[in-house]
Amino acid sequence: MQVLSDLGNNLKIAKVDINSELKEQSLNAQTMGKEAFSQLVANVKKRGGLESLPYCVLKDGKIEIVSGHHRVRACRAAGITEIPVLLDESNLTRSQIIAKQLAHNSIVGTSDKSILRQLYEEMDSIDDKLESFVSVEDLAKQGVSEGEVLNLAEPVKFKTMTFLFTPKEFDDVRAVLERLEQEAPNMVAVCDEKDFEPFVKRIQETKKANDVKNASVAMHLLATGGEK
């Protein structure tokens, strides 16, 4: 491995040998048809390399591919042996690696639903499951219940979450909450249990679509209708 650039935050661009240094995930839900793969190989040959870097992690001294399995395979088919990769050295857990793998896969391509479920069930953190951006509908088709989606089986240790808003954002969100109270006066919380997962999903979609990391900003965008 040759480090080409240190990007900070445990991220580096490194040149690696795809035959001796890269390890594929044992399970990968992402699929690609023969025609699409052949076109990818042709593009790699024409360019002489990749136009987007595979995302990899350093795990137990080995470089594992998280996103870019088909790109690496296309390079092998095109006769290319060394490629640059984006290398994450932040010592991610297995659950975090799966979350990032599924999140990257959700951007483009098609996932094998049965493998998707296997990978999803391997994650042991609610945060990782949320980051994976896996569709609740896709999981339901595989027989995953609503309670299993966020791994809410007992025992569960709950934590208090605090959202920080600017005065203007707070006024907007408060106005929405007051309207909700008028429309559903018997509700004790913002939403009842059956609405929790769609709410979380909408927050995640808003964060992704608007390229924001803060949940309170996403809530403000939803409250004001400013989301994409």
Short mmCIF file of all heavy atoms in Angstrom, two decimals, residues 4 9 21 50 93 114 116 119 123 159 182 186 199-200 207 212 221:
data_model
loop_
_atom_site.label_atom_id
_atom_site.label_comp_id
_atom_site.label_asym_id
_atom_site.label_seq_id
_atom_site.Cartn_x
_atom_site.Cartn_y
_atom_site.Cartn_z
N LEU A 4 -1.07 8.10 -0.85
CA LEU A 4 -0.92 9.20 -1.80
C LEU A 4 -1.25 10.54 -1.17
O LEU A 4 -0.67 11.57 -1.51
CB LEU A 4 -1.80 8.97 -3.03
CG LEU A 4 -1.57 7.67 -3.80
CD1 LEU A 4 -2.56 7.57 -4.96
CD2 LEU A 4 -0.14 7.61 -4.32
N ASN A 9 -8.91 13.28 9.57
CA ASN A 9 -10.06 12.53 10.11
C ASN A 9 -9.97 11.03 9.79
O ASN A 9 -10.98 10.38 9.52
CB ASN A 9 -11.38 13.09 9.58
CG ASN A 9 -11.62 14.51 10.03
OD1 ASN A 9 -11.36 14.87 11.18
ND2 ASN A 9 -12.07 15.36 9.11
N GLU A 21 -3.98 -7.06 -1.85
CA GLU A 21 -4.20 -6.22 -0.67
C GLU A 21 -5.67 -5.95 -0.36
O GLU A 21 -5.99 -5.52 0.74
CB GLU A 21 -3.47 -4.87 -0.84
CG GLU A 21 -1.97 -5.01 -0.86
CD GLU A 21 -1.26 -3.66 -0.96
OE1 GLU A 21 -1.49 -2.94 -1.95
OE2 GLU A 21 -0.50 -3.33 -0.03
N LEU A 50 -10.19 4.02 -12.79
CA LEU A 50 -11.50 4.38 -12.24
C LEU A 50 -11.67 5.89 -12.16
O LEU A 50 -10.70 6.63 -11.95
CB LEU A 50 -11.66 3.78 -10.84
CG LEU A 50 -11.68 2.26 -10.75
CD1 LEU A 50 -11.71 1.83 -9.29
CD2 LEU A 50 -12.89 1.70 -11.49
N THR A 93 -16.43 -0.59 13.64
CA THR A 93 -16.92 -1.90 14.06
C THR A 93 -17.56 -2.60 12.87
O THR A 93 -17.82 -1.99 11.83
CB THR A 93 -17.97 -1.77 15.18
OG1 THR A 93 -19.13 -1.10 14.65
CG2 THR A 93 -17.42 -0.97 16.36
N SER A 114 -32.70 -10.70 0.03
CA SER A 114 -32.42 -11.67 1.09
C SER A 114 -31.07 -11.39 1.75
O SER A 114 -30.93 -11.50 2.97
CB SER A 114 -32.45 -13.10 0.53
OG SER A 114 -31.46 -13.26 -0.48
N LEU A 116 -29.70 -8.45 1.79
CA LEU A 116 -29.93 -7.18 2.48
C LEU A 116 -30.43 -7.45 3.90
O LEU A 116 -29.96 -6.83 4.87
CB LEU A 116 -30.96 -6.35 1.71
CG LEU A 116 -31.30 -4.97 2.29
CD1 LEU A 116 -30.11 -4.04 2.20
CD2 LEU A 116 -32.48 -4.38 1.53
N LEU A 119 -27.57 -8.82 6.17
CA LEU A 119 -26.64 -7.78 6.59
C LEU A 119 -27.29 -6.86 7.62
O LEU A 119 -26.66 -6.47 8.61
CB LEU A 119 -26.18 -6.96 5.37
CG LEU A 119 -25.24 -7.70 4.41
CD1 LEU A 119 -25.06 -6.88 3.14
CD2 LEU A 119 -23.90 -7.97 5.07
N MET A 123 -26.27 -5.90 12.10
CA MET A 123 -25.98 -4.64 12.78
C MET A 123 -26.55 -4.67 14.19
O MET A 123 -27.70 -5.07 14.41
CB MET A 123 -26.55 -3.45 11.99
CG MET A 123 -25.76 -3.14 10.73
SD MET A 123 -26.37 -1.67 9.87
CE MET A 123 -27.86 -2.30 9.11
N LYS A 159 -31.96 6.53 25.85
CA LYS A 159 -31.23 7.74 26.20
C LYS A 159 -32.07 8.96 25.82
O LYS A 159 -32.88 8.90 24.90
CB LYS A 159 -29.89 7.80 25.46
CG LYS A 159 -28.91 6.70 25.87
CD LYS A 159 -27.59 6.86 25.14
CE LYS A 159 -26.61 5.77 25.56
NZ LYS A 159 -25.31 5.90 24.85
N GLN A 182 -53.60 20.37 18.20
CA GLN A 182 -54.98 20.73 17.90
C GLN A 182 -55.65 19.66 17.04
O GLN A 182 -56.84 19.36 17.21
CB GLN A 182 -55.02 22.08 17.17
CG GLN A 182 -54.56 23.25 18.04
CD GLN A 182 -54.44 24.53 17.26
OE1 GLN A 182 -54.66 24.56 16.05
NE2 GLN A 182 -54.10 25.61 17.94
N ASN A 186 -55.56 13.98 21.77
CA ASN A 186 -55.35 12.87 22.69
C ASN A 186 -53.92 12.34 22.68
O ASN A 186 -53.58 11.44 23.44
CB ASN A 186 -56.30 11.72 22.35
CG ASN A 186 -57.75 12.12 22.57
OD1 ASN A 186 -58.05 12.86 23.50
ND2 ASN A 186 -58.63 11.63 21.71
N PHE A 199 -41.43 8.55 10.67
CA PHE A 199 -40.86 9.84 11.05
C PHE A 199 -39.34 9.80 10.94
O PHE A 199 -38.71 10.70 10.36
CB PHE A 199 -41.28 10.19 12.47
CG PHE A 199 -40.57 11.40 13.05
CD1 PHE A 199 -40.87 12.68 12.62
CD2 PHE A 199 -39.59 11.24 14.02
CE1 PHE A 199 -40.21 13.78 13.13
CE2 PHE A 199 -38.93 12.33 14.54
CZ PHE A 199 -39.24 13.60 14.09
N VAL A 200 -38.72 8.75 11.50
CA VAL A 200 -37.26 8.62 11.44
C VAL A 200 -36.80 8.51 10.00
O VAL A 200 -35.81 9.13 9.60
CB VAL A 200 -36.80 7.38 12.25
CG1 VAL A 200 -35.31 7.12 12.02
CG2 VAL A 200 -37.06 7.58 13.73
N LYS A 207 -32.28 14.63 5.56
CA LYS A 207 -30.85 14.87 5.79
C LYS A 207 -30.05 14.54 4.54
O LYS A 207 -29.16 15.29 4.13
CB LYS A 207 -30.35 14.05 6.98
CG LYS A 207 -30.86 14.55 8.32
CD LYS A 207 -30.57 13.57 9.44
CE LYS A 207 -29.10 13.43 9.70
NZ LYS A 207 -28.84 12.53 10.85
N VAL A 212 -27.48 17.55 4.91
CA VAL A 212 -27.30 18.08 6.25
C VAL A 212 -27.05 16.92 7.21
O VAL A 212 -27.52 15.80 6.99
CB VAL A 212 -28.51 18.90 6.73
CG1 VAL A 212 -28.75 20.10 5.84
CG2 VAL A 212 -29.76 18.04 6.81
N LEU A 221 -36.35 21.95 8.44
CA LEU A 221 -36.67 21.94 7.01
C LEU A 221 -38.05 21.31 6.77
O LEU A 221 -38.83 21.81 5.97
CB LEU A 221 -35.61 21.17 6.23
CG LEU A 221 -34.23 21.85 6.12
CD1 LEU A 221 -33.21 20.89 5.52
CD2 LEU A 221 -34.33 23.11 5.28
#
